[in-house]
Amino acid sequence: MDSCVIPLRHGGLSLVQTTDFFYPLVEDPYMMGRIACANVLSDLYAMGITECDNMLMLLSVSQKMNEKERDQVMPLMMKGFRDTAEEAGTSVTGGQTVVNPWIIIGGVASVVCQPNDFIMPDSAVPGDVLVLTKPLGTQVAVNAHQWLDIPEKWNKIKLVISREEVEQAYQEAMLNMATLNRTAAALMHKFNAHAATDITGFGIIGHARNLAQQQKNDVAFVIHNLPIISKMAAISKAGGNLFGLLQGTSSETSGGLLICLPREQAARFCAEMKSSRVGLSGAVGQDGGAGDGQQAWIIGIVEKGNRCARIIDKPRIIEVPYRGSVVSVQEGSNNNASPPEVQLT
C-alpha cells in the first residue's frame, strides 16, 4: 500500500500517513521543491484521499555546498515545497534539516479520515479497465537533458531528437512531476474506482504488479497502451532500450495514478479529467492560475488471473505532445486526444 492506515482509538477514525524523499533530479531548485511535495502527497491521492491535514518537510543540505550556494538553493527548494502544499490545501508545520553529503528533499503527509474518505486498493474485478493519469518517460527526459552537455551520450540520440525538443521534453516532464494527482483522487470516488497506486520508482510494470498482488480477487492486469512523453520512446530505442521504458521498468518520479475502474465508467473519468480546470499543482477550482485539465488514458484491462501484471509484446505507444505543440503522427503510434480504446490481443 502507498500509505499506512492506522485505526484510532476514538470515533471510528483512521490516521492515514505516508513519507517519501529523494535526491534532486532537475536543475531548478524551486521546481524540485514542488516535485518533492507532489510526490509525497501522491501516496494519499492513490487512496482517493483529497485532503491532507498536515505536512512535515525533510531536508538535507549538502556538505559540498558553500554558504552562498546554500543561501540561494535551499530557500527556493523550501518555497517550492511549501507553495505546493498550500495549493493542495494543507501546510508545512515542521520537519527536520540535516547536513549530509547529498541534497535530499521529501516529507511526511498525514490526515485523519473517516472510512468513506479513502479507497482501499484491493477490490479490482475482472472486466475493470486500467487508467493512467500522467504520461511515462520522465526518467528519459531528465537524463536526455543532462546528455546535452555529454557528447558521447548526446551522439547516441541526436539523430532522433533535436536539442530544442529535448528542452521541451524536459520542461514537460517537470510540469508533469510538479502536478498533483488531486483531481484524479476526487474522481476516483465519483466513478467508483476499485483500486489505485501511483507510478514512481518501480516503473509502471513494477507498480502494476505490486497492486495486482494486493487484490482480494484472482485477477491479472494486462497493459496494452503506453502513453509516453513525445520522442522519449525514440530516445529509448536509440539508446539501446534505455532504462527499459518500453518494457515498463523505467523509473518515474511523481508519476500518475494507475486506477482500476469499471469499464463503463472509464471513458467518463478520462473526459472529466480533461475538462476539469486545474492549477499547476492539480488543485481543482482555484481562483486564478487555472488552466486546462489533465489528460488520462485507458491503458489496459483487468482479467481473471493469479494476481500478476504484464505488458503485451507490442504495446501501442501513445506519443503525448508537449503542451502547446502540434501533435505529429508517427508510424506505430497513436496520438488521439481522446482516451484510446483498449486493444484486446
Side-chain angles (χ1 to χ4, degrees):
M1 286 174 46
D2 293 296
S3 302
C4 62
V5 179
I6 306 166
L8 299 179
R9 293 187 296 273
H10 311 291
L13 300 173
S14 295
L15 171 66
V16 183
Q17 194 169 57
T18 184
T19 185
D20 205 349
F21 65 86
F22 48 72
Y23 309 106
L25 70 161
V26 298
E27 295 174 355
D28 185 327
Y30 177 77
M31 288 301 293
M32 190 62 239
R34 293 195 73 105
I35 292 166
C37 186
N39 187 64
V40 173
L41 288 167
S42 266
D43 288 336
L44 296 184
Y45 298 142
M47 298 189 68
I49 295 169
T50 59
E51 303 297 332
C52 176
D53 289 333
N54 183 62
M55 293 195 76
L56 303 176
M57 188 189 306
L58 305 175
L59 195 64
S60 167
V61 181
S62 173
Q63 296 168 336
K64 299 177 182 178
M65 301 173 76
N66 59 41
E67 185 176 354
K68 181 180 180 181
E69 290 170 335
R70 287 197 298 268
D71 289 346
Q72 289 179 335
V73 172
M74 305 315 291
L76 287 171
M77 291 177 66
M78 295 168 69
K79 178 173 171 53
F81 194 100
R82 287 198 179 99
D83 283 354
T84 298
E86 182 179 343
E87 292 179 18
T90 188
S91 59
V92 180
T93 61
Q96 179 69 37
T97 302
V98 299
V99 177
N100 205 49
W102 316 277
I103 297 175
I104 296 173
I105 186 167
V108 181
S110 307
V111 62
V112 175
C113 290
Q114 295 180 334
N116 60 354
D117 289 334
F118 58 88
I119 299 170
M120 293 298 288
D122 58 6
S123 299
V125 297
D128 282 351
V129 297
L130 303 173
V131 170
L132 183 66
T133 66
K134 289 184 186 179
L136 307 172
T138 55
Q139 183 181 33
V140 178
V142 168
N143 279 273
H145 187 258
Q146 294 174 349
W147 294 348
L148 289 173
D149 299 320
I150 306 175
E152 60 269 26
K153 293 192 174 183
W154 171 246
N155 289 338
K156 293 181 180 179
I157 64 172
K158 66 181 183 181
L159 295 180
V160 298
I161 191 168
S162 68
R163 287 180 172 270
E164 181 182 4
E165 288 170 328
V166 168
E167 291 286 353
Q168 288 179 310
Y170 175 70
Q171 294 298 325
E172 182 69 17
M174 278 204 298
L175 181 59
N176 283 325
M177 290 186 287
T179 299
L180 296 182
N181 286 312
R182 195 180 186 192
T183 305
L187 295 179
M188 283 171 60
H189 292 271
K190 181 174 181 178
F191 294 103
N192 193 30
H194 292 153
T197 189
D198 63 327
I199 306 303
T200 51
F202 296 124
I204 189 167
I205 193 62
H207 288 284
R209 287 170 177 159
N210 288 344
L211 186 62
Q213 290 169 4
Q214 300 299 318
Q215 302 311 301
K216 293 183 288 190
N217 299 310
D218 294 331
V219 296
F221 299 164
V222 184
I223 297 172
H224 296 259
N225 304 322
L226 294 175
I228 297 175
I229 296 171
S230 183
K231 294 294 185 79
M232 297 306 99
I235 288 179
S236 181
K237 292 176 183 177
N241 190 28
L242 194 62
F243 305 120
L245 177 62
L246 303 184
Q247 288 69 44
T249 59
S250 183
S251 296
E252 304 293 333
T253 298
S254 190
L257 299 188
L258 177 65
I259 307 172
C260 302
L261 286 164
R263 181 181 291 266
E264 64 274 13
Q265 302 276 32
R268 289 169 55 211
F269 174 97
C270 294
E272 193 146 336
M273 281 285 293
K274 185 64 176 173
S275 64
S276 298
R277 295 186 65 78
V278 298
L280 172 64
S281 66
V284 183
Q286 294 187 9
D287 294 329
D292 293 336
Q294 297 169 250
Q295 199 163 358
W297 301 266
I298 298 172
I299 66 165
I301 60 172
V302 179
E303 61 183 22
K304 191 170 180 61
N306 59 346
R307 297 183 180 86
C308 60
R310 66 182 177 89
I311 299 175
I312 63 171
D313 289 340
K314 294 182 179 180
R316 180 167 55 170
I317 306 303
I318 304 168
E319 292 276 330
V320 180
Y322 318 127
R323 248 69 62 96
S325 63
V326 178
V327 179
S328 61
V329 179
Q330 299 183 16
E331 185 179 352
S333 68
N334 181 293
N335 292 278
N336 292 334
S338 59
E341 291 297 324
V342 175
Q343 292 184 335
L344 306 179
T345 58

